[in-house]
Amino acid sequence: MADEGITVDVTRIDISPNPAALGSELNLEIDFTAAADILSAHWEVRYTVDMTATRHIVEVGSTETADYLAGAGTFKFHTAGIELEGIKKSWLNNVGLLLAVLVDKDGKEVVQVSMVTQVTKTPDGLQRLIMSPLD
């Protein structure tokens, strides 16, 4: 759950490559405005596969700790690929959720950006299309 103490408004989200193979490289850039300083914070990126009786949360990666001062800020994240080993392909061939979560120095979530990820089976394998909540 997000911390109710600090307001963070997301103003732009850039996702690339998009669409792409499900486990391929991911570049994420998010512009935001913070109402107050958020010191010693970091971003965590997760991919959630949610089935009726089972939920798999894949820790995609995180950023280094940084100070985000009140006003405009930008979060940039890159990973060479999303590790999906151990998750059944039939479970992956479903809608997923990519999360970017800003976590403060006390481990509390300040803001969570949720991006629905449509996964489709193609002759080349599973393909993802990550949808920005701003569109």
Side-chain angles (χ1 to χ4, degrees):
M1 173 168 278
D3 183 354
E4 299 297 326
I6 300 173
T7 300
V8 176
D9 293 318
V10 174
T11 56
R12 184 184 69 87
I13 299 174
D14 183 56
I15 307 159
S16 68
N18 195 41
L22 180 58
S24 70
E25 170 186 21
L26 173 65
N27 296 291
L28 188 58
E29 188 171 317
I30 298 176
D31 292 343
F32 60 92
T33 303
D37 294 348
I38 308 166
L39 305 178
S40 299
H42 68 279
W43 287 86
E44 297 176 358
V45 179
R46 306 176 193 127
Y47 183 71
T48 302
V49 178
D50 202 0
M51 299 300 292
T52 304
T54 305
R55 174 180 286 175
H56 291 278
I57 299 174
V58 177
E59 300 294 336
V60 178
S62 61
T63 63
E64 297 291 324
T65 299
D67 293 336
Y68 296 99
L69 303 180
T74 299
F75 150 66
K76 294 180 182 180
F77 176 80
H78 167 80
T79 185
I82 300 172
E83 182 57 56
L84 300 168
E85 188 173 321
I87 303 173
K88 294 180 182 180
K89 287 193 189 313
S90 61
W91 294 354
L92 293 171
N93 189 19
N94 201 343
V95 174
L97 192 63
L98 182 69
L99 302 173
V101 183
L102 179 58
V103 180
D104 71 11
K105 65 182 176 186
D106 297 321
K108 294 181 184 173
E109 292 185 4
V110 177
V111 67
Q112 175 179 292
V113 181
S114 301
M115 295 159 276
V116 173
T117 305
Q118 180 64 50
V119 178
T120 55
K121 187 175 180 179
T122 70
D124 294 326
L126 296 177
Q127 297 289 307
R128 70 176 188 231
L129 175 63
I130 303 170
M131 294 172 248
S132 168
L134 300 180
D135 291 342

